[in-house]
């Protein structure tokens, strides 16, 4: 089972309006709401790939119960810790005339980090791999991802961390098997503009693998076994939000299956491409995924000294 740790759960609400009018009343045409958060997207993708997955999150209040209900409706197993803060919402207003989205994110605050760590520790006995992704909410110390990494490592469970900034830097010290920054996150934590040099620096500090996602330019991996670059034969137009979560889902699944790096990167580039083509984060069409697999090329790179 893959355990997906959700540090900043949210109920994602989407409003569709004909036209967005600032300083005026906007009539909402349709409302959709669903459980969100980056690790929730990863879990949805893994479930769609028939991979056993369990989420762990701290929720609270009526919004937390809606979050829980939506996970259940999606068939996602979850270990839910009840805290005393109402789960946050995000509201996305989509204007149908332009297709533009305006997003309002309530701040993420973790209600009870120590209990979450304890429950994660006890869930690890059933986990083959952990995915921890998302930004650091208030109430979680900057070494929160590092603490999760140490818990997993102490129990011999590999962990993939997808976060940014100081939380990522702190996590590297704890030695996660894999981190997945995007290009701007990679530059931010290293101060190095060149992706290969920057990823090499990050890989050295963690002692594990780095898969950097470079948007439409594909993926770059620097690992203890070598360095590779994966590219699609064409750029895709669509919704790139959550494409990084698809990279993480594919890598998690492939690592568990014992795939080699070229295979891992091929599936990660294809699944993330399919996610770009899907309208919502956490979704993809199996046909797109199958078609894109054949369009990925993987090239081994000379290692940097
Ligand atoms: N326009 C595109 N065409 C083809 N593939 C894309 C495109 N945009 C993204 N991808 C694929 O998705 C992967 C992840 O994208 P990106 O680097 O934007 O992730 P991210 O910023 O971490 O995303 P998020 O955090 O929203 O999930 C890329 O490495 C690439 O494989
Ligand atoms: Mg990302």
């Amino acid at each position: 089972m893959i355990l997906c740790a959700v540090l900043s759960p949210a109920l994602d609400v989407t409003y569709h309006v004909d036209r967005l009018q600032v300083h005026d009343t906007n009539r909402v045409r349709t409302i959709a709401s669903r459980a969100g958060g980056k690790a929730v997207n990863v879990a949805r993708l893994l479930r769609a790939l028939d991979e056993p997955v369990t989420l762990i999150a701290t929720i609270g209040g009526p919004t937390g119960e809606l979050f829980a209900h939506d996970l259940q409706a999606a068939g996602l197993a979850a270990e839910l810790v009840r805290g005393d803060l109402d789960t946050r919402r995000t509201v996305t207003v989509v204007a149908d005339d332009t297709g533009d989205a305006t997003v309002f994110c309530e701040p993420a605050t973790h209600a009870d980090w120590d209990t979450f760590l304890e429950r994660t520790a006890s869930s690890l006995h059933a986990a083959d791999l952990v995915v921890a992704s998302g930004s650091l909410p208030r109430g979680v110390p900057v070494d929160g991802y590092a603490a999760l990494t140490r818990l997993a490592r102490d129990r011999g469970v590999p962990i993939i961390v997808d976060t940014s900034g100081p939380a990522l830097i702190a996590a590297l010290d704890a030695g996660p098997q894999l981190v997945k920054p995007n290009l701007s996150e990679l530059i931010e934590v290293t101060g190095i503009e060149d992706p290969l040099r920057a990823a090499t620096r990050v890989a050295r500090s963690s002692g594990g693998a780095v898969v950097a996602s470079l948007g439409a330019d594909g993926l770059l991996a620097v690992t203890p076994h070598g360095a590779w670059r994966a590219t699609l034969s064409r750029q895709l137009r669509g919704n790139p939000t959550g494409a990084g979560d698809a990279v993480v889902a594919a890598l998690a699944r492939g690592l568990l299956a014992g795939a080699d790096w070229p295979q891992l990167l091929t599936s990660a580039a294809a699944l993330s491409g399919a996610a770009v083509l899907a309208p919502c984060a956490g979704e993809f069409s199996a046909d797109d995924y199958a078609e894109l697999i054949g369009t990925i090329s993987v090239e081994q790179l000379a290692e940097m000294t």
Side-chain angles (χ1 to χ4, degrees), residues 266-283:
T266 300
S267 57
L271 190 66
S272 56
V276 169
L277 295 175
C280 286
E283 292 178 3

Side-chain angles (χ1 to χ4, degrees), residues 170-225:
L172 295 177
D173 281 343
Q177 274 70 14
L178 175 60
V179 294
K180 203 286 308 155
N182 65 21
L183 182 59
S184 58
E185 291 161 352
L186 186 64
I187 294 172
E188 187 198 357
V189 297
T190 57
I192 301 173
E193 297 279 333
D194 176 68
L196 181 56
R197 282 184 190 284
T200 303
R201 166 80 63 86
V202 171
R204 286 211 182 110
S205 24
S206 72
V210 178
V211 175
S213 63
L214 311 175
D217 292 332
L219 296 163
L220 168 68
V222 176
T223 82
H225 306 287

Side-chain angles (χ1 to χ4, degrees), residues 38 133-134 162-164 180-183 185 213 240 242-245 248:
K38 301 197 70 63
S133 48
D162 177 6
T163 190
S164 57
K180 203 286 308 155
N182 65 21
L183 182 59
E185 291 161 352
S213 63
D245 304 329
V248 172

